[in-house]
Amino acid sequence: MIAIEDLRLVVLLARCDSLSAAARALNVSPPALSTRLRKLEARLGVALANRDARRLSLTPDGERFAQQCSELLERLEALPDTFARQDRQLVGTLRLAAPFGYGRQRIAPLLARFAVLHPQLRLQLDLRETPWPDRHDSDAVIHIGTIDDSSWIAKTLAHNERWLCASPTYLEQHGLPQGPRALLQHRCICIRENDEDVTLWQLRNDQERQTLRIEPALLTNDGSVARRWAEQGLGIVLRSQWDVADAIARGALVRLLPAWRFDSAPITLLVPARKQRSARLQALANFLDLAVKGLDAGADPQ
């Protein structure tokens, strides 16, 4: 008989690129996991995975079985929603993935409030450098930016403009840039994210559009680090509105060239198109929609 633990094992193997990574996720030794996998393959009569010391990949039978396991687990997890509860309390598990910075600063506090509203729910927040399109088993993903992928249903939570900012100290020493071309004479801080060309800045106003090739004085892959460098007077940074709004409000940063706009990077809630929309997932989507819009408007949602 196939146990639920076997279903979860195969789904996990589909997400991991090595037997060692899968073993770490399960908190077991690689030999123990290998033995468990061999027993499952013997029970099914098929080879599920090709593996060696460094690489793990599912066979075609393994891929098909993993898909079936994932669907079965989703149906099992959604089973409590098929029964009406008199107290209307949501039950089960919700897994949400989000980027490190935005997830830590904005989503984690909101998820804490959601947990208070629904104490019977088990909530998991998985912070990742690139929560989409990494392979994972999350029920929903917070993504910053636009996507074009029919396997996901996207809901925009906030438009999230990107602003040029610098500290008052930096501006006292280097002067206020009067237009986009003046940025080429300033120390600029760039953030290396995904595969984007981060040194190519495109600005527009109501009359024209300009493209600049920036030579960064400082470069990092962490947006919070870049913002702190700017607050310390080390240069001009292009950063999401959500990350710099508080610093601007307290005077640590000043927004530059407000008449010029950059392409926005909307805050988006993604749900796999194949995933059933459970009551708890719908409740989370509704809560985040209201809460993030409230934060974006400067409110304090309860």
Side-chain angles (χ1 to χ4, degrees):
M1 178 180 294
I2 303 298
I4 291 179
E5 290 73 17
D6 295 327
L7 304 183
R8 291 175 176 151
L9 169 63
V10 177
V11 170
L12 176 65
L13 293 176
R15 295 189 286 113
C16 295
D17 57 7
S18 71
L19 201 63
S20 297
R24 286 194 299 270
L26 291 172
N27 198 27
V28 299
S29 67
L33 182 58
S34 182
T35 298
R36 184 174 162 188
L37 177 57
R38 284 198 303 271
K39 289 181 178 179
L40 179 58
E41 289 176 324
R43 195 176 311 139
L44 293 172
V46 296
L48 296 175
N50 303 309
R51 63 270 197 191
D52 55 36
R54 296 185 177 180
R55 180 118 183 115
L56 171 72
S57 63
L58 295 185
T59 64
D61 284 332
E63 292 280 1
R64 183 164 59 89
F65 187 57
Q67 179 64 34
Q68 293 173 344
C69 290
S70 180
E71 293 171 358
L72 283 172
L73 286 172
E74 287 181 15
R75 291 173 61 186
L76 286 171
E77 291 177 0
L79 191 59
D81 292 327
T82 64
F83 296 93
R85 292 173 54 96
Q86 293 183 351
D87 58 6
R88 296 186 177 276
Q89 283 289 331
L90 297 176
V91 297
T93 301
L94 266 177
R95 295 172 293 265
L96 180 65
F100 280 112
Y102 190 79
R104 187 181 298 115
Q105 184 172 329
R106 293 295 182 94
I107 295 301
L110 294 180
L111 207 58
R113 294 179 180 179
F114 189 71
V116 172
L117 294 174
H118 304 286
Q120 301 301 317
L121 275 179
R122 295 185 300 275
L123 300 175
Q124 299 178 14
L125 177 60
D126 186 8
L127 299 182
R128 297 166 174 261
E129 184 175 352
T130 53
W132 181 89
D134 282 357
R135 300 176 71 177
H136 52 78
D137 60 351
S138 298
D139 297 297
V141 175
I142 299 293
H143 175 66
I144 300 180
T146 58
I147 69 165
D148 184 14
D149 188 335
S150 61
S151 63
W152 296 84
I153 299 172
K155 180 180 182 60
T156 299
L157 302 177
H159 293 294
N160 186 39
E161 294 181 6
R162 293 191 297 166
W163 291 349
L164 272 178
C165 302
S167 72
T169 300
Y170 176 86
L171 296 176
E172 288 175 4
Q173 295 174 349
H174 300 275
L176 188 70
Q178 298 301 313
R181 304 297 301 179
L183 295 172
L184 298 176
Q185 308 305 317
H186 280 266
R187 291 174 56 84
C188 293
I189 302 168
C190 289
I191 305 162
R192 186 178 63 252
E193 295 179 313
N194 305 326
D195 296 323
E196 296 180 7
D197 188 350
V198 298
T199 64
L200 190 67
W201 287 5
Q202 298 181 347
L203 308 86
R204 67 186 187 282
N205 61 15
D206 295 335
Q207 287 79 39
E208 62 177 312
R209 187 181 186 97
Q210 292 196 24
T211 299
L212 305 177
R213 175 63 70 180
I214 299 298
E215 183 67 32
L218 292 165
L219 182 66
T220 178
N221 67 338
D222 189 303
S224 297
V225 169
R227 174 179 47 76
R228 287 195 292 271
W229 281 345
E231 291 181 16
Q232 293 165 4
L234 298 179
I236 295 174
V237 70
L238 174 61
R239 191 69 183 125
S240 290
Q241 173 187 349
W242 67 264
D243 189 38
V244 297
D246 291 343
I248 291 173
R250 68 175 186 268
L253 290 175
V254 176
R255 185 182 177 189
L256 308 178
L257 305 180
W260 291 84
R261 299 183 300 277
F262 292 81
D263 292 336
S264 64
I267 309 297
T268 308
L269 178 68
L270 304 177
V271 177
R274 61 176 177 79
K275 188 175 285 291
Q276 298 180 5
R277 186 64 64 91
S278 65
R280 57 183 178 272
L281 183 54
Q282 186 62 56
L284 177 65
N286 293 340
F287 175 84
L288 289 177
D289 186 33
L290 292 173
V292 171
K293 283 181 170 62
L295 289 174
D296 201 37
D300 184 20
Q302 299 297 321

